[in-house]
Amino acid sequence: MTTFVPSAEQDLIIHAPLTSARVAAGAGTGKTTTISQRVLHLVADLGLEPEQILGITFTNKAAQELADRIRSALADIVEVNREVSVHTYHGFASTLLREFGAVVDIERDTDRITPAFSRQLRVELTHQMAYRHFDPTIRGSIEKLRRLSAQLSDNLAHPGDIIPPPGYQEDAASPWHQRLEMLATLVAYDDEKRRLGVADFGDLIRRAHQMVTAHPEIGARVAGRYQAVLLDEYQDTDPGQRELLRALFGSSTPVMAVGDADQTIYEWRGASKENFERFGEHFTFGEVADHPLSLNRRSGAAILEVANAIRADIDDRPRDPLTAVAGRPRGDV
């Protein structure tokens, strides 16, 4: 097995003190290896137990890869079956609801419905509702309902909470006439899920946040389990995910968030670049640090040269100084 030799940037991240920290990791810079070596340092050198460390990433595939890397890094120093908890963002919320969800009317055996079944429920409800402005027979109307439902969940809002601006009734062309009928449909959709004893994907973060904020003793109990939290692909989180994590760990726990605003791919699904850019305002344990991880260890020099030229040509946005990319190539990690 090849011995891992960290770059200077990686070494600073791996051995960073236990405070909250933001890591701006460009593509191909070995962030998964860096995270797993950070965990090794926390356990081997700082004395944390594996169970006191929480890792969260975005997809099931990424969570499995991160868990495998961490397991391999710790293999020689911890007993079998002692592991770091690694979840997706929604998976972590789901574990909270399975354990404590009864306080917000989500029972342990609540089924999570598929997007297809969720769509079917919305279609059935539109057949039962009376509309004057929203026409569910127009192509794309059911998808508009889904997007509105997702936007509400991403921002921790319930459809019944939305209040139109004063005077909208006097404007015949106001979009609020249609929007209010859509919101009424989504209220009925929530009622139907409750009647069936099911939850959809969007419910997980919203209901978990509702639970830990309405019952701070639960939030404190969960936060007390962890001495370090590692967030991967943080640039793709939405406001609801941020606020759930902030409610749990904002000032009580050292959180290290790894991400890159240039790699945000889920803005169409509610991801907020502001989460990464304003990390230090949201997670404040200790003296919050910033670390770059910019040495690309995956791509050859020609690829990096072209990528940087294209970026320089098209990118005129205000930039966060930590999100500089690429650097020179150096073998794979």
Side-chain angles (χ1 to χ4, degrees):
M1 177 182 289
T2 303
T3 302
F4 170 67
V5 179
S7 68
E9 289 179 338
Q10 287 176 312
D11 191 66
L12 285 173
I13 294 163
I14 292 166
H15 297 99
L18 270 175
T19 66
S20 287
R22 180 179 69 157
V23 177
T29 54
K31 63 185 179 65
T32 304
T33 298
T34 305
I35 292 172
S36 62
Q37 292 297 310
R38 168 69 172 170
V39 171
L40 175 59
H41 168 68
L42 294 175
V43 174
D45 301 327
L46 299 188
L48 273 65
E49 303 293 341
E51 297 82 4
Q52 294 177 314
I53 303 170
L54 172 65
I56 309 180
T57 188
F58 212 79
T59 66
N60 289 323
K61 181 179 178 181
Q64 184 62 55
E65 180 184 0
L66 181 58
D68 288 345
R69 294 280 194 97
I70 291 173
R71 193 177 299 117
S72 177
L74 298 180
D76 294 334
I77 64 169
V78 301
E79 299 90 341
V80 176
N81 297 325
R82 297 198 61 200
E83 295 195 339
V84 171
S85 294
V86 179
H87 303 278
T88 65
Y89 289 94
H90 283 90
F92 176 61
S94 183
T95 65
L96 298 180
L97 290 171
R98 278 199 300 272
E99 186 172 2
F100 304 108
V103 301
V104 287
D105 299 322
I106 292 186
E107 300 299 332
R108 180 183 296 271
D109 58 353
T110 295
D111 289 327
R112 194 172 82 191
I113 56 177
T114 64
F117 185 56
S118 175
R119 185 181 191 281
Q120 180 183 339
L121 280 184
R122 293 190 188 102
V123 169
E124 290 175 357
L125 286 168
T126 61
H127 295 160
Q128 302 169 22
M129 306 285 290
Y131 299 113
R132 292 182 58 200
H133 304 281
F134 176 66
D135 186 350
T137 66
I138 295 176
R139 182 179 179 87
S141 293
I142 303 302
E143 173 60 15
K144 282 177 66 175
L145 276 174
R146 184 203 67 76
R147 288 200 304 269
L148 179 57
S149 180
Q151 289 165 357
L152 291 168
S153 294
D154 290 347
N155 290 279
L156 305 175
H158 183 273
D161 299 334
I162 306 303
I163 301 173
Y168 80 94
Q169 298 96 329
E170 285 73 45
D171 181 1
S174 171
W176 278 98
H177 297 293
Q178 181 183 106
R179 194 172 294 152
L180 286 172
E181 292 183 347
M182 294 171 65
L183 289 167
T185 306
L186 294 180
V187 170
Y189 170 65
D190 275 0
D191 291 342
E192 184 67 3
K193 286 184 294 181
R194 202 170 294 112
R195 185 186 72 81
L196 294 172
V198 299
D200 67 16
F201 202 64
D203 290 324
L204 299 176
I205 301 292
R206 178 170 62 88
R207 301 300 289 277
H209 179 267
Q210 176 190 351
M211 179 181 69
V212 301
T213 52
H215 300 274
E217 71 281 2
I218 293 176
R221 182 174 171 184
V222 172
R225 295 172 178 173
Y226 303 108
Q227 298 300 306
V229 176
L230 300 164
L231 306 178
D232 189 23
E233 304 291 357
Y234 189 65
Q235 79 280 350
D236 280 325
T237 54
D238 59 45
Q241 291 163 340
R242 177 196 72 218
E243 288 304 303
L244 171 60
L245 295 167
R246 187 182 185 184
L248 289 169
F249 308 118
S251 60
S252 66
T253 310
V255 174
M256 179 175 281
V258 182
D260 178 9
D262 284 336
Q263 296 185 68
T264 301
I265 61 174
Y266 287 112
E267 284 182 288
W268 60 274
R269 207 169 72 180
S272 172
K273 289 183 181 180
E274 190 175 275
N275 287 357
F276 190 69
E277 292 168 355
R278 298 180 61 188
F279 171 83
E281 299 174 33
H282 303 147
F283 297 91
T284 58
F285 183 89
E287 186 174 345
V288 182
D290 281 325
H291 298 284
L293 189 57
S294 59
L295 183 64
N296 191 300
R297 303 164 75 100
R298 179 189 303 156
S299 305
I303 293 174
L304 295 177
E305 184 178 347
V306 171
N308 283 328
I310 292 172
R311 174 174 157 175
D313 186 51
I314 66 174
D315 193 357
D316 58 358
R317 296 168 299 164
R319 301 205 48 77
D320 185 313
L322 280 182
T323 56
V325 38
R328 57 190 175 82
R330 186 172 162 188
D332 243 33
V333 176

